[in-house]
Amino acid sequence: MILLFRLLSHLPLPALHALGALLGWLAWLLSPTYRRHMRENLLLALGESGMRRVRPAAIAHAGRAALELASIWLRPLEKATALVAKVSGWELVEAATQAGKGIVYLTPHLGCFEVTAQYLSERAPITVLYRPPKQAWQQTLIETGRARAQLRIAAADLAGVRALLKALRRGEAVGLLPDQAPRVGEGRWLNFFGKPAYTMTLAARLTESGATTIMLWAERLPGGAGYHFHLQQPTQAIRGTTEQRAQQINHEIEQLIRQCPEQYLWGYNRYKRPRGVEAPPEMI
């Protein structure tokens, strides 16, 4: 599989995105479970008409998200980050850097979330949280693709959390996917598009450090033309208890998704109940 990715990395991004769109439709056609999750999630967030409008593009973008990893992980850093064609909101990073309190980048499963840390690491040190995969070849690919000079990876465990906190204390940046379903004991049942979703509290706890919070996503441009980097302030200051902060982060994620719903991974089982976690009354 790694060899296949290395071969794909030699293709231009337009070709990868074209092949990825086909892969997305193939995955959708072959997996009833995937089709069900995508339909249910889209219907919940966008309604019947929105679901029908967004679903075809979302299917294709999911496949593009898979194959574009070859360009981002297995090319030299300068070639991977050269795919970022436009940046909006960089003044937020400059202001946060001057404040010297560290930055918490929150990047949901929207657009090309893998290019974000790569681009940021070219400009300053960043530590990103990840969940180790079950298969060894996937772990090797992740370690190879994210082995950049100023990009550190931290596993989603106690040691990884400590690494994130240490980075913030040094005034550095950290990044994570706040809409990733957490493990038992690491989340709360909170509202996400009107339905209870087991939501990580770690992102909320990191915002309690006094660091600057920046919402971030990389829009996939048409025709494989690259990516538009969007850096945005939360619509409201994130404050309150950890649970209140986590709920607000869910709200901020919703706002990002509404900007480009076609590029969110709607097939991701965001509403799953981890084994051992008691379901809220609404789900019983």
Side-chain angles (χ1 to χ4, degrees):
M1 187 62 71
I2 294 178
L3 177 59
L4 175 60
F5 264 73
R6 290 196 181 279
L7 292 173
L8 289 172
S9 70
H10 295 288
L11 294 177
L13 189 61
L16 281 174
H17 279 178
L19 289 173
L22 295 175
L23 177 65
W25 278 100
L26 183 63
W28 186 80
L29 289 169
L30 295 179
S31 175
T33 300
Y34 178 57
R35 290 200 300 273
R36 186 180 73 252
H37 286 155
M38 178 174 281
R39 185 183 189 283
E40 291 174 349
N41 293 342
L42 277 166
L43 193 62
L44 180 70
L46 305 177
E48 182 71 31
S49 61
M51 184 269 294
R52 293 184 180 279
R53 174 178 58 84
V54 168
R55 184 169 57 184
I59 291 169
H61 275 293
R64 294 182 183 115
L67 288 197
E68 68 192 0
L69 292 177
S71 284
I72 296 161
W73 281 357
L74 299 179
R75 287 183 179 179
L77 180 61
E78 63 274 11
K79 290 187 177 181
T81 58
L83 297 172
V84 177
K86 183 179 180 181
V87 179
S88 298
W90 191 255
E91 65 276 5
L92 299 176
V93 180
E94 294 174 341
T97 302
Q98 291 179 0
K101 294 184 179 180
I103 304 174
V104 177
Y105 290 107
L106 299 180
T107 306
H109 290 84
L110 177 66
C112 183
F113 44 89
E114 280 293 343
V115 79
T116 57
Q118 305 273 342
Y119 184 86
L120 293 169
S121 75
E122 203 172 36
R123 287 146 184 82
I126 182 171
T127 303
V128 296
L129 190 75
Y130 82 106
R131 180 163 296 170
K134 295 180 180 179
Q135 298 185 21
W137 71 266
Q138 292 177 326
Q139 178 68 21
T140 300
L141 187 60
I142 289 173
E143 292 176 349
T144 301
R146 294 175 177 167
R148 309 299 193 183
Q150 296 194 99
L151 176 56
R152 307 182 187 96
I153 59 175
D157 54 24
L158 185 57
V161 173
R162 288 172 178 162
L164 296 179
L165 292 173
K166 287 180 180 178
L168 290 177
R169 284 196 290 268
R170 292 192 299 267
E172 296 177 359
V174 302
L176 67 162
L177 295 163
D179 57 340
Q180 189 163 28
R183 292 177 295 192
V184 178
E186 298 176 355
R188 299 284 188 278
W189 288 105
L190 299 173
N191 185 289
F192 186 64
F193 281 115
K195 182 179 178 180
Y198 196 59
T199 301
M200 72 157 64
T201 57
L202 175 58
R205 285 157 45 204
L206 292 175
T207 68
E208 295 170 354
S209 67
T212 300
T213 301
I214 297 179
M215 309 301 297
L216 167 64
W217 68 288
E219 178 185 1
R220 199 173 288 114
L221 297 176
Y227 306 101
H228 180 181
F229 223 60
H230 296 269
L231 299 118
Q232 300 171 8
Q233 286 182 323
T235 58
Q236 298 179 16
I238 298 176
R239 56 168 62 99
T241 65
T242 299
E243 186 165 317
Q244 289 169 337
R245 288 168 181 260
Q247 180 60 76
Q248 187 179 342
I249 289 171
N250 272 0
H251 172 73
E252 298 297 334
I253 294 170
E254 292 177 14
Q255 298 305 306
L256 291 190
I257 293 170
R258 289 191 176 98
Q259 294 176 24
C260 190
E262 296 84 358
Q263 295 192 23
Y264 189 63
L265 288 184
W266 294 104
Y268 179 60
N269 190 9
R270 180 65 185 88
Y271 297 99
K272 67 180 178 181
R273 175 160 65 106
R275 184 176 300 176
V277 174
E278 184 177 349
E282 298 93 325
M283 296 179 64
I284 297 177

